[in-house]
Amino acid sequence: MTLQHGHFRTLGATLQSNGVNFALAAPNATAVDLCLFDAAGLVETARLPMPAQTDGIWHGFLPDARAGLVYGWRVHGPWQPQVGHRFNPAKVLLDPYAREVVGSYQGQDIHLGHDAQHPGQPDPRDNARDALKARVVEDLPSPRPGAQVDPARRVIYELHIKGFTALHPEVPEPLRGTYAGLAHPAAIRHLKTLGITTVCLMPIAQRADEVRLLRMGLSNYWGYSPIAWSAPETRYWSGTEGSSPRTEFCTLVDALHQAGLEVILDVVYNHTGETDEFGPTLSLRGIDNACYYHLRPDNPAQYMNWTGCGNCVNLNQPLVLRTVMDSLRLWVQEFGVDGFRFDLAPVLARSERETDYRFARHAPFLMAVAQDPVLCDRLMVAEPWDIGPGGYQLGAYPAGWLEWNDRFRDTQRAFWLCEQEHLGALALRLAGSSDAFHPQRRSAHSSVNFVTAHDGFTLTDLVSYNERHNEANGEHNRDGHGHNLSNNFGMEGPTDDPAIRELRLRHKRTLLAATVLSLGTPMLLAGDDIGHSQQGNNNAYCQDNPTTWLHWDQADTALFGFVAHLLQARKQRHLLQSRAWWQADETRHAVIARWTTPLAMPLNHDQWNDRHHRALALHLYAGQGHSRTGASHADCLLLINASSEAVEFHLPEGQWLRHIDTGNGEHMDRPLSPRETVPAGSLWLASTQPLFTPSFQT
């Protein structure tokens, strides 16, 4: 069996009518072997030298090879960690282009490229039997067109594939916690009834759990330790006969699309599961460490670590950038996903050493996405921070991108729960955070507004705990954020005290309303709508158990109904979904925002900036050139009272109907008087036209 010359046009394993072409980017390697294995991936059956290298890409063609073939790589080159080279042909390596992974990584030290006792020396043991391998696969049929969602109407719902259905009683037990489970009508019905438009799936790429977690019987449940960027995680596959992880995930995307829902993936291209210099050699490290990773210029045996996960992928290298771009296109073209949320996105756009690795607005990755015909019209969402120098980049991403807005999160928490913010800061966040997203350059929906996400307290825990309770993570409660801006309202954790329970529920409703009704793109965390708690764990990344799984049998159905009505109210009021920024003065075709005191007077400088002033009103109405007829264009009024006492408001002239009251959870049309008293810690939504109809059911 001999490899022919082949081509280097496509990387990875490309199935052709008469065989398979293999190509691997390893510019610093001196030789590369293609290793073939039996169907189970346990026995190495052949080792074939790659016959050609072109521009850093090793390539060869295997005649008569078919789909199902299991393979890995052995890469030869210098073992010189002091200059960044960690080649060790004793280690079988996973193809960065793997589309289906064979085997599982269990933390065995045989996967170390270095000798554990003498890190400066290579480990000579052969790991072929236990190494991760790739399987050659056929292309899937072209996906159906995705859902079309108006950006101004978008509502994002962040969920975990397993946690969402692991305990769902209406999902058949064999499908719970899988791609097929989320595709089940019961799961999709919840999303549709709630009013979600866009599902953001936490990482589903094949991962390699950290050794430390494996030794404690834990795993990287969140999935932020990828080892194969283009392969759906096999752990979320139901194993249904006739399916595979790829086909089952494709079926899930199609089911969500048929329900009218967008699908975006949380993707992790900033680092890999190989961790730091003491981590395993599973793929990129052994293929070409100095090419794929950012190394410390003063000591290339170590890695730049702007992620906190041990390494950083170097997208300034053309072949590495190509690998990431090919992966993104695959998720779109093969599976039909509608967009991506990029974990620690500044890492992807850091410059080279000559400019101190600073974030670059015109970095190769950002430019590549902007011009790519497959990706340029997809939804791109940045987590705009990392832990490197100048790592906080909120508002710095290109026009068209959305960005997670932690200033919105912190301001809402501080204002409603801690009395630590003033009215000016609150209004700035409610109005879209123009301090971060320049109105001349960015659209009004650029800000992803949220008060909770996977990282941190759930909404229930935010109003139930003053301190994190992460003991189960095995780090002596030192992990997770210590500054949570939370409030337990007098009792740490669960309580039977009816007064405390009422205060907590009121503030949950208020924070949800503030998120949904602010200018921008609201994002909800799965489970917050049914009262999910993680018992105070604010860093449950390693808890693949009932701590993180949603308990549907304990769902707060009243809270769910409130959130569904809240989202319905936003959907039916165009002024709450403005495509343009609110204006303070009468402007043609604009939405006008009038901010006043409870007495209907303009706020002065002291009132805007004094934390003791805790109440204000916001009147939204259409400016000249806008239609002001019909319910969808009705004036809107938000009455906000974060003080500890009820406050009387003088309403603007007109016949107002209250639709949402976070104080008691009421969500129905009720006529208002010219003067109304809003309870402490509450937010009301009113408008000049009826909103809810008896036919709307939750």
Side-chain angles (χ1 to χ4, degrees), residues 407-430 451 484-487 489 507 510-511 514 595 603 607-617 639-644 649 680-683:
R407 294 181 191 171
F408 181 94
R409 175 198 65 197
D410 293 349
T411 298
Q412 297 294 342
R413 291 184 179 191
F415 184 79
W416 291 103
L417 300 180
C418 305
E419 298 187 4
Q420 293 181 8
E421 278 290 8
H422 47 72
L423 293 177
L426 178 72
L428 185 62
R429 301 300 158 225
L430 292 175
V451 291
N484 295 291
L485 296 170
S486 60
N487 189 341
F489 292 97
H507 282 82
T510 298
L511 288 168
W595 305 88
L603 284 85
Q607 291 169 323
W608 276 122
N609 295 284
D610 187 342
R611 293 181 181 177
H612 297 293
H613 290 275
R614 312 292 300 162
L616 82 162
L639 303 181
I640 295 167
N641 178 21
S643 66
S644 57
F649 282 78
S682 297
L683 183 155

Short mmCIF file of all heavy atoms in Angstrom, two decimals, residues 407-430 451 484-487 489 507 510-511 514 595 603 607-617 639-644 649 680-683:
data_model
loop_
_atom_site.label_atom_id
_atom_site.label_comp_id
_atom_site.label_asym_id
_atom_site.label_seq_id
_atom_site.Cartn_x
_atom_site.Cartn_y
_atom_site.Cartn_z
N ARG A 407 -21.25 45.29 30.85
CA ARG A 407 -21.61 46.53 31.55
C ARG A 407 -23.12 46.57 31.80
O ARG A 407 -23.56 47.06 32.85
CB ARG A 407 -21.18 47.74 30.72
CG ARG A 407 -19.69 47.90 30.58
CD ARG A 407 -19.34 49.14 29.78
NE ARG A 407 -17.93 49.18 29.41
CZ ARG A 407 -17.40 50.05 28.57
NH1 ARG A 407 -18.18 50.99 28.01
NH2 ARG A 407 -16.11 50.02 28.29
N PHE A 408 -23.88 46.08 30.84
CA PHE A 408 -25.32 45.98 31.06
C PHE A 408 -25.61 45.07 32.25
O PHE A 408 -26.37 45.42 33.16
CB PHE A 408 -26.02 45.43 29.81
CG PHE A 408 -27.52 45.32 29.94
CD1 PHE A 408 -28.34 46.34 29.50
CD2 PHE A 408 -28.11 44.20 30.51
CE1 PHE A 408 -29.72 46.25 29.63
CE2 PHE A 408 -29.49 44.09 30.65
CZ PHE A 408 -30.29 45.13 30.21
N ARG A 409 -24.99 43.89 32.25
CA ARG A 409 -25.18 42.93 33.35
C ARG A 409 -24.86 43.55 34.70
O ARG A 409 -25.67 43.49 35.64
CB ARG A 409 -24.28 41.71 33.10
CG ARG A 409 -24.28 40.67 34.21
CD ARG A 409 -23.05 39.78 34.08
NE ARG A 409 -21.82 40.53 34.29
CZ ARG A 409 -20.62 40.11 33.92
NH1 ARG A 409 -20.48 38.95 33.29
NH2 ARG A 409 -19.54 40.85 34.17
N ASP A 410 -23.69 44.15 34.80
CA ASP A 410 -23.25 44.66 36.10
C ASP A 410 -24.07 45.86 36.55
O ASP A 410 -24.36 46.01 37.75
CB ASP A 410 -21.77 45.03 36.03
CG ASP A 410 -20.88 43.81 35.86
OD1 ASP A 410 -21.38 42.68 36.00
OD2 ASP A 410 -19.68 44.00 35.57
N THR A 411 -24.47 46.73 35.61
CA THR A 411 -25.27 47.88 35.99
C THR A 411 -26.64 47.45 36.49
O THR A 411 -27.14 47.97 37.51
CB THR A 411 -25.42 48.85 34.80
OG1 THR A 411 -24.13 49.34 34.44
CG2 THR A 411 -26.33 50.02 35.17
N GLN A 412 -27.28 46.53 35.79
CA GLN A 412 -28.60 46.07 36.22
C GLN A 412 -28.52 45.41 37.59
O GLN A 412 -29.36 45.67 38.47
CB GLN A 412 -29.19 45.09 35.20
CG GLN A 412 -29.44 45.68 33.83
CD GLN A 412 -30.52 46.75 33.85
OE1 GLN A 412 -31.31 46.86 34.78
NE2 GLN A 412 -30.55 47.56 32.80
N ARG A 413 -27.54 44.57 37.80
CA ARG A 413 -27.40 43.92 39.11
C ARG A 413 -27.14 44.94 40.21
O ARG A 413 -27.76 44.90 41.28
CB ARG A 413 -26.25 42.91 39.06
CG ARG A 413 -26.49 41.68 38.20
CD ARG A 413 -25.31 40.73 38.32
NE ARG A 413 -25.48 39.53 37.53
CZ ARG A 413 -24.70 38.45 37.63
NH1 ARG A 413 -23.70 38.45 38.49
NH2 ARG A 413 -24.91 37.39 36.87
N ALA A 414 -26.21 45.86 39.93
CA ALA A 414 -25.85 46.84 40.95
C ALA A 414 -27.02 47.75 41.29
O ALA A 414 -27.25 48.09 42.46
CB ALA A 414 -24.66 47.67 40.47
N PHE A 415 -27.78 48.15 40.26
CA PHE A 415 -28.89 49.08 40.48
C PHE A 415 -30.04 48.41 41.23
O PHE A 415 -30.55 48.95 42.22
CB PHE A 415 -29.38 49.61 39.13
CG PHE A 415 -30.46 50.65 39.25
CD1 PHE A 415 -30.14 51.96 39.55
CD2 PHE A 415 -31.80 50.32 39.05
CE1 PHE A 415 -31.13 52.93 39.66
CE2 PHE A 415 -32.79 51.28 39.16
CZ PHE A 415 -32.45 52.59 39.47
N TRP A 416 -30.45 47.24 40.78
CA TRP A 416 -31.65 46.62 41.35
C TRP A 416 -31.38 45.83 42.63
O TRP A 416 -32.26 45.72 43.48
CB TRP A 416 -32.30 45.69 40.33
CG TRP A 416 -32.93 46.41 39.17
CD1 TRP A 416 -32.43 46.53 37.91
CD2 TRP A 416 -34.16 47.13 39.19
NE1 TRP A 416 -33.28 47.27 37.13
CE2 TRP A 416 -34.36 47.66 37.89
CE3 TRP A 416 -35.12 47.37 40.16
CZ2 TRP A 416 -35.47 48.41 37.55
CZ3 TRP A 416 -36.25 48.13 39.82
CH2 TRP A 416 -36.41 48.64 38.53
N LEU A 417 -30.17 45.30 42.78
CA LEU A 417 -29.90 44.42 43.91
C LEU A 417 -29.01 45.02 44.98
O LEU A 417 -29.06 44.60 46.13
CB LEU A 417 -29.24 43.12 43.41
CG LEU A 417 -30.04 42.29 42.41
CD1 LEU A 417 -29.25 41.05 42.01
CD2 LEU A 417 -31.40 41.90 42.97
N CYS A 418 -28.16 46.00 44.61
CA CYS A 418 -27.14 46.46 45.54
C CYS A 418 -27.16 47.95 45.83
O CYS A 418 -26.34 48.43 46.62
CB CYS A 418 -25.75 46.07 45.02
SG CYS A 418 -25.56 44.32 44.68
N GLU A 419 -28.05 48.70 45.15
CA GLU A 419 -28.12 50.16 45.32
C GLU A 419 -26.76 50.81 45.08
O GLU A 419 -26.35 51.74 45.79
CB GLU A 419 -28.65 50.52 46.71
CG GLU A 419 -30.07 50.02 46.96
CD GLU A 419 -30.66 50.52 48.27
OE1 GLU A 419 -29.99 51.33 48.95
OE2 GLU A 419 -31.77 50.09 48.61
N GLN A 420 -26.05 50.34 44.09
CA GLN A 420 -24.70 50.83 43.83
C GLN A 420 -24.57 51.62 42.54
O GLN A 420 -23.48 52.02 42.18
CB GLN A 420 -23.71 49.64 43.78
CG GLN A 420 -23.53 48.94 45.11
CD GLN A 420 -22.53 47.80 45.02
OE1 GLN A 420 -21.87 47.62 43.99
NE2 GLN A 420 -22.41 47.03 46.07
N GLU A 421 -25.66 51.84 41.82
CA GLU A 421 -25.60 52.60 40.59
C GLU A 421 -26.64 53.70 40.59
O GLU A 421 -27.65 53.62 41.29
CB GLU A 421 -25.81 51.70 39.37
CG GLU A 421 -24.55 50.96 38.91
CD GLU A 421 -23.51 51.87 38.29
OE1 GLU A 421 -23.67 53.11 38.34
OE2 GLU A 421 -22.51 51.34 37.76
N HIS A 422 -26.40 54.73 39.78
CA HIS A 422 -27.31 55.87 39.71
C HIS A 422 -28.19 55.77 38.47
O HIS A 422 -27.97 54.93 37.58
CB HIS A 422 -26.55 57.18 39.75
CG HIS A 422 -25.38 57.23 38.80
ND1 HIS A 422 -25.52 57.32 37.43
CD2 HIS A 422 -24.04 57.19 39.04
CE1 HIS A 422 -24.33 57.34 36.86
NE2 HIS A 422 -23.41 57.26 37.81
N LEU A 423 -29.17 56.66 38.39
CA LEU A 423 -30.13 56.62 37.29
C LEU A 423 -29.46 56.84 35.93
O LEU A 423 -29.88 56.27 34.92
CB LEU A 423 -31.21 57.67 37.51
CG LEU A 423 -32.15 57.44 38.70
CD1 LEU A 423 -33.12 58.62 38.83
CD2 LEU A 423 -32.92 56.14 38.55
N GLY A 424 -28.42 57.67 35.88
CA GLY A 424 -27.75 57.92 34.62
C GLY A 424 -27.14 56.66 34.04
O GLY A 424 -27.23 56.40 32.83
N ALA A 425 -26.52 55.85 34.90
CA ALA A 425 -25.92 54.60 34.44
C ALA A 425 -26.99 53.63 33.97
O ALA A 425 -26.84 52.96 32.95
CB ALA A 425 -25.09 53.98 35.56
N LEU A 426 -28.09 53.57 34.71
CA LEU A 426 -29.18 52.67 34.31
C LEU A 426 -29.75 53.08 32.96
O LEU A 426 -29.95 52.24 32.07
CB LEU A 426 -30.29 52.69 35.36
CG LEU A 426 -31.51 51.81 35.02
CD1 LEU A 426 -31.16 50.35 35.16
CD2 LEU A 426 -32.71 52.18 35.87
N ALA A 427 -30.02 54.38 32.78
CA ALA A 427 -30.60 54.85 31.52
C ALA A 427 -29.66 54.58 30.34
O ALA A 427 -30.11 54.22 29.24
CB ALA A 427 -30.90 56.34 31.62
N LEU A 428 -28.36 54.73 30.58
CA LEU A 428 -27.40 54.46 29.51
C LEU A 428 -27.49 53.02 29.04
O LEU A 428 -27.43 52.74 27.83
CB LEU A 428 -25.98 54.77 30.03
CG LEU A 428 -24.84 54.67 29.02
CD1 LEU A 428 -25.01 55.65 27.89
CD2 LEU A 428 -23.50 54.89 29.74
N ARG A 429 -27.67 52.09 29.96
CA ARG A 429 -27.78 50.66 29.60
C ARG A 429 -29.14 50.37 28.97
O ARG A 429 -29.23 49.63 27.98
CB ARG A 429 -27.56 49.78 30.82
CG ARG A 429 -26.22 49.99 31.48
CD ARG A 429 -25.05 49.70 30.56
NE ARG A 429 -23.84 50.38 31.04
CZ ARG A 429 -23.02 51.06 30.29
NH1 ARG A 429 -23.24 51.16 28.98
NH2 ARG A 429 -21.97 51.65 30.79
N LEU A 430 -30.20 50.94 29.51
CA LEU A 430 -31.53 50.71 28.94
C LEU A 430 -31.59 51.21 27.50
O LEU A 430 -32.31 50.66 26.67
CB LEU A 430 -32.60 51.42 29.78
CG LEU A 430 -32.85 50.88 31.18
CD1 LEU A 430 -33.85 51.77 31.91
CD2 LEU A 430 -33.37 49.45 31.15
N VAL A 451 -28.33 39.54 32.08
CA VAL A 451 -27.97 39.66 33.49
C VAL A 451 -27.39 38.35 34.02
O VAL A 451 -26.75 38.32 35.07
CB VAL A 451 -29.16 40.10 34.38
CG1 VAL A 451 -29.53 41.54 34.09
CG2 VAL A 451 -30.35 39.19 34.21
N ASN A 484 -20.09 39.29 42.60
CA ASN A 484 -21.28 38.86 41.87
C ASN A 484 -22.42 39.86 41.84
O ASN A 484 -23.38 39.68 41.10
CB ASN A 484 -21.80 37.54 42.47
CG ASN A 484 -20.82 36.41 42.30
OD1 ASN A 484 -20.59 35.94 41.20
ND2 ASN A 484 -20.22 35.97 43.40
N LEU A 485 -22.33 40.92 42.66
CA LEU A 485 -23.41 41.92 42.73
C LEU A 485 -24.75 41.23 42.93
O LEU A 485 -25.75 41.55 42.29
CB LEU A 485 -23.43 42.77 41.45
CG LEU A 485 -22.18 43.62 41.21
CD1 LEU A 485 -22.20 44.21 39.81
CD2 LEU A 485 -22.07 44.73 42.26
N SER A 486 -24.76 40.28 43.84
CA SER A 486 -25.97 39.52 44.14
C SER A 486 -26.55 39.97 45.48
O SER A 486 -25.96 40.79 46.19
CB SER A 486 -25.65 38.02 44.19
OG SER A 486 -24.66 37.74 45.19
N ASN A 487 -27.71 39.42 45.81
CA ASN A 487 -28.39 39.79 47.06
C ASN A 487 -29.25 38.62 47.49
O ASN A 487 -30.15 38.20 46.76
CB ASN A 487 -29.25 41.04 46.85
CG ASN A 487 -29.80 41.60 48.15
OD1 ASN A 487 -29.85 40.91 49.17
ND2 ASN A 487 -30.23 42.86 48.11
N PHE A 489 -31.21 38.68 50.13
CA PHE A 489 -32.38 39.26 50.79
C PHE A 489 -32.58 38.71 52.21
O PHE A 489 -33.70 38.53 52.67
CB PHE A 489 -33.63 39.07 49.94
CG PHE A 489 -33.59 39.87 48.68
CD1 PHE A 489 -33.18 39.29 47.49
CD2 PHE A 489 -33.91 41.22 48.66
CE1 PHE A 489 -33.10 40.02 46.31
CE2 PHE A 489 -33.84 41.97 47.50
CZ PHE A 489 -33.43 41.37 46.32
N HIS A 507 -37.70 40.48 42.25
CA HIS A 507 -36.48 40.97 41.62
C HIS A 507 -36.08 40.11 40.43
O HIS A 507 -35.47 40.63 39.48
CB HIS A 507 -35.36 41.07 42.66
CG HIS A 507 -35.47 42.28 43.54
ND1 HIS A 507 -36.29 42.31 44.65
CD2 HIS A 507 -34.90 43.51 43.45
CE1 HIS A 507 -36.20 43.51 45.22
NE2 HIS A 507 -35.36 44.25 44.51
N THR A 510 -38.18 41.54 37.72
CA THR A 510 -37.73 42.87 37.33
C THR A 510 -36.47 42.81 36.48
O THR A 510 -36.35 43.52 35.46
CB THR A 510 -37.48 43.73 38.58
OG1 THR A 510 -38.72 43.87 39.31
CG2 THR A 510 -36.96 45.10 38.22
N LEU A 511 -35.52 41.98 36.85
CA LEU A 511 -34.30 41.85 36.07
C LEU A 511 -34.59 41.27 34.69
O LEU A 511 -33.99 41.68 33.69
CB LEU A 511 -33.29 40.98 36.82
CG LEU A 511 -32.64 41.64 38.04
CD1 LEU A 511 -31.90 40.61 38.88
CD2 LEU A 511 -31.69 42.75 37.62
N ALA A 514 -36.15 44.16 32.69
CA ALA A 514 -35.14 45.15 32.30
C ALA A 514 -34.31 44.64 31.13
O ALA A 514 -33.94 45.41 30.23
CB ALA A 514 -34.24 45.47 33.50
N TRP A 595 -37.08 60.94 29.33
CA TRP A 595 -36.78 60.46 30.68
C TRP A 595 -37.24 61.51 31.68
O TRP A 595 -36.89 62.69 31.57
CB TRP A 595 -35.27 60.25 30.84
CG TRP A 595 -34.65 59.35 29.82
CD1 TRP A 595 -34.16 59.71 28.60
CD2 TRP A 595 -34.46 57.94 29.93
NE1 TRP A 595 -33.65 58.61 27.94
CE2 TRP A 595 -33.83 57.51 28.73
CE3 TRP A 595 -34.76 56.99 30.91
CZ2 TRP A 595 -33.49 56.18 28.50
CZ3 TRP A 595 -34.41 55.67 30.69
CH2 TRP A 595 -33.79 55.27 29.50
N LEU A 603 -35.10 65.24 34.55
CA LEU A 603 -34.13 65.03 35.61
C LEU A 603 -33.01 66.05 35.50
O LEU A 603 -32.52 66.33 34.40
CB LEU A 603 -33.54 63.61 35.55
CG LEU A 603 -34.44 62.47 36.04
CD1 LEU A 603 -35.36 62.00 34.94
CD2 LEU A 603 -33.61 61.31 36.58
N GLN A 607 -29.99 64.60 40.09
CA GLN A 607 -30.87 63.43 40.10
C GLN A 607 -30.32 62.30 39.23
O GLN A 607 -30.45 61.13 39.58
CB GLN A 607 -32.27 63.85 39.63
CG GLN A 607 -33.00 64.74 40.63
CD GLN A 607 -34.25 65.36 40.03
OE1 GLN A 607 -34.27 65.73 38.86
NE2 GLN A 607 -35.29 65.49 40.84
N TRP A 608 -29.70 62.64 38.11
CA TRP A 608 -29.11 61.61 37.25
C TRP A 608 -27.97 60.88 37.95
O TRP A 608 -27.75 59.69 37.73
CB TRP A 608 -28.57 62.23 35.97
CG TRP A 608 -29.56 62.43 34.86
CD1 TRP A 608 -29.87 63.60 34.25
CD2 TRP A 608 -30.34 61.43 34.21
NE1 TRP A 608 -30.81 63.40 33.26
CE2 TRP A 608 -31.12 62.07 33.21
CE3 TRP A 608 -30.48 60.04 34.37
CZ2 TRP A 608 -32.00 61.39 32.39
CZ3 TRP A 608 -31.35 59.36 33.55
CH2 TRP A 608 -32.11 60.02 32.57
N ASN A 609 -27.23 61.59 38.82
CA ASN A 609 -25.97 61.04 39.35
C ASN A 609 -25.99 60.72 40.83
O ASN A 609 -24.98 60.25 41.37
CB ASN A 609 -24.84 62.03 39.06
CG ASN A 609 -24.58 62.19 37.57
OD1 ASN A 609 -23.99 61.32 36.94
ND2 ASN A 609 -25.04 63.30 37.00
N ASP A 610 -27.12 60.95 41.49
CA ASP A 610 -27.24 60.66 42.92
C ASP A 610 -27.84 59.27 43.10
O ASP A 610 -28.96 59.00 42.66
CB ASP A 610 -28.12 61.72 43.58
CG ASP A 610 -28.14 61.59 45.09
OD1 ASP A 610 -27.76 60.51 45.61
OD2 ASP A 610 -28.56 62.55 45.77
N ARG A 611 -27.11 58.40 43.77
CA ARG A 611 -27.59 57.02 43.96
C ARG A 611 -28.84 56.95 44.85
O ARG A 611 -29.49 55.91 44.92
CB ARG A 611 -26.48 56.15 44.56
CG ARG A 611 -25.31 55.93 43.61
CD ARG A 611 -24.26 55.05 44.24
NE ARG A 611 -23.12 54.84 43.35
CZ ARG A 611 -22.02 54.15 43.68
NH1 ARG A 611 -21.93 53.62 44.89
NH2 ARG A 611 -21.05 54.02 42.81
N HIS A 612 -29.13 58.02 45.54
CA HIS A 612 -30.32 58.01 46.39
C HIS A 612 -31.60 58.18 45.58
O HIS A 612 -32.69 57.90 46.09
CB HIS A 612 -30.21 59.10 47.46
CG HIS A 612 -29.07 58.89 48.41
ND1 HIS A 612 -29.03 57.85 49.31
CD2 HIS A 612 -27.90 59.59 48.57
CE1 HIS A 612 -27.91 57.91 50.01
NE2 HIS A 612 -27.21 58.96 49.58
N HIS A 613 -31.49 58.67 44.37
CA HIS A 613 -32.65 58.75 43.49
C HIS A 613 -32.80 57.42 42.77
O HIS A 613 -31.94 57.03 41.98
CB HIS A 613 -32.49 59.90 42.48
CG HIS A 613 -32.57 61.26 43.10
ND1 HIS A 613 -33.76 61.91 43.32
CD2 HIS A 613 -31.60 62.09 43.56
CE1 HIS A 613 -33.54 63.08 43.89
NE2 HIS A 613 -32.23 63.21 44.04
N ARG A 614 -33.88 56.71 43.02
CA ARG A 614 -33.99 55.32 42.59
C ARG A 614 -35.19 55.09 41.68
O ARG A 614 -35.55 53.93 41.43
CB ARG A 614 -34.13 54.39 43.81
CG ARG A 614 -33.14 54.62 44.93
CD ARG A 614 -31.73 54.26 44.54
NE ARG A 614 -31.62 52.86 44.16
CZ ARG A 614 -30.61 52.36 43.46
NH1 ARG A 614 -29.66 53.16 43.01
NH2 ARG A 614 -30.56 51.09 43.17
N ALA A 615 -35.84 56.14 41.19
CA ALA A 615 -37.04 55.95 40.37
C ALA A 615 -37.03 56.92 39.20
O ALA A 615 -36.59 58.07 39.33
CB ALA A 615 -38.30 56.15 41.21
N LEU A 616 -37.52 56.46 38.06
CA LEU A 616 -37.68 57.32 36.89
C LEU A 616 -38.67 56.70 35.93
O LEU A 616 -39.02 55.52 36.05
CB LEU A 616 -36.35 57.58 36.18
CG LEU A 616 -35.81 56.53 35.20
CD1 LEU A 616 -34.74 57.14 34.31
CD2 LEU A 616 -35.25 55.33 35.93
N ALA A 617 -39.12 57.52 34.98
CA ALA A 617 -40.06 57.07 33.94
C ALA A 617 -39.41 57.26 32.58
O ALA A 617 -38.66 58.22 32.36
CB ALA A 617 -41.36 57.85 34.03
N LEU A 639 -42.16 52.46 33.88
CA LEU A 639 -42.09 53.07 35.20
C LEU A 639 -41.15 52.22 36.05
O LEU A 639 -41.39 51.02 36.23
CB LEU A 639 -43.48 53.14 35.83
CG LEU A 639 -44.55 53.89 35.02
CD1 LEU A 639 -45.87 53.89 35.78
CD2 LEU A 639 -44.11 55.31 34.70
N ILE A 640 -40.10 52.83 36.55
CA ILE A 640 -39.01 52.11 37.20
C ILE A 640 -38.87 52.60 38.64
O ILE A 640 -38.68 53.80 38.88
CB ILE A 640 -37.69 52.33 36.43
CG1 ILE A 640 -37.81 51.71 35.03
CG2 ILE A 640 -36.50 51.79 37.19
CD1 ILE A 640 -36.70 52.13 34.09
N ASN A 641 -38.95 51.66 39.58
CA ASN A 641 -38.80 52.02 40.99
C ASN A 641 -37.90 50.99 41.68
O ASN A 641 -38.32 49.89 42.01
CB ASN A 641 -40.16 52.06 41.70
CG ASN A 641 -40.00 52.39 43.18
OD1 ASN A 641 -38.99 52.95 43.60
ND2 ASN A 641 -41.01 52.03 43.97
N ALA A 642 -36.64 51.36 41.86
CA ALA A 642 -35.69 50.48 42.54
C ALA A 642 -35.50 50.86 44.00
O ALA A 642 -34.62 50.31 44.68
CB ALA A 642 -34.34 50.52 41.83
N SER A 643 -36.30 51.77 44.50
CA SER A 643 -36.17 52.18 45.90
C SER A 643 -36.79 51.14 46.82
O SER A 643 -37.43 50.19 46.38
CB SER A 643 -36.83 53.54 46.11
OG SER A 643 -38.23 53.45 45.92
N SER A 644 -36.61 51.35 48.12
CA SER A 644 -37.14 50.40 49.10
C SER A 644 -38.57 50.71 49.51
O SER A 644 -39.16 50.00 50.32
CB SER A 644 -36.24 50.39 50.35
OG SER A 644 -36.15 51.70 50.90
N PHE A 649 -46.19 57.83 40.71
CA PHE A 649 -45.79 58.39 39.42
C PHE A 649 -46.94 59.20 38.82
O PHE A 649 -48.11 58.78 38.91
CB PHE A 649 -45.43 57.27 38.44
CG PHE A 649 -44.05 56.68 38.65
CD1 PHE A 649 -43.83 55.76 39.67
CD2 PHE A 649 -43.00 57.04 37.82
CE1 PHE A 649 -42.58 55.21 39.86
CE2 PHE A 649 -41.73 56.49 38.00
CZ PHE A 649 -41.52 55.57 39.03
N ALA A 680 -42.05 48.97 45.53
CA ALA A 680 -40.59 48.94 45.60
C ALA A 680 -40.04 47.79 44.76
O ALA A 680 -40.63 46.71 44.68
CB ALA A 680 -40.15 48.80 47.05
N GLY A 681 -38.90 48.05 44.14
CA GLY A 681 -38.22 47.01 43.38
C GLY A 681 -38.97 46.52 42.17
O GLY A 681 -38.80 45.37 41.75
N SER A 682 -39.78 47.39 41.56
CA SER A 682 -40.66 46.96 40.48
C SER A 682 -40.46 47.78 39.22
O SER A 682 -39.98 48.91 39.24
CB SER A 682 -42.13 47.07 40.91
OG SER A 682 -42.40 46.22 42.00
N LEU A 683 -40.89 47.19 38.10
CA LEU A 683 -40.90 47.84 36.80
C LEU A 683 -42.24 47.56 36.15
O LEU A 683 -42.71 46.42 36.14
CB LEU A 683 -39.75 47.30 35.95
CG LEU A 683 -39.52 47.91 34.56
CD1 LEU A 683 -38.05 47.73 34.16
CD2 LEU A 683 -40.40 47.26 33.50
#
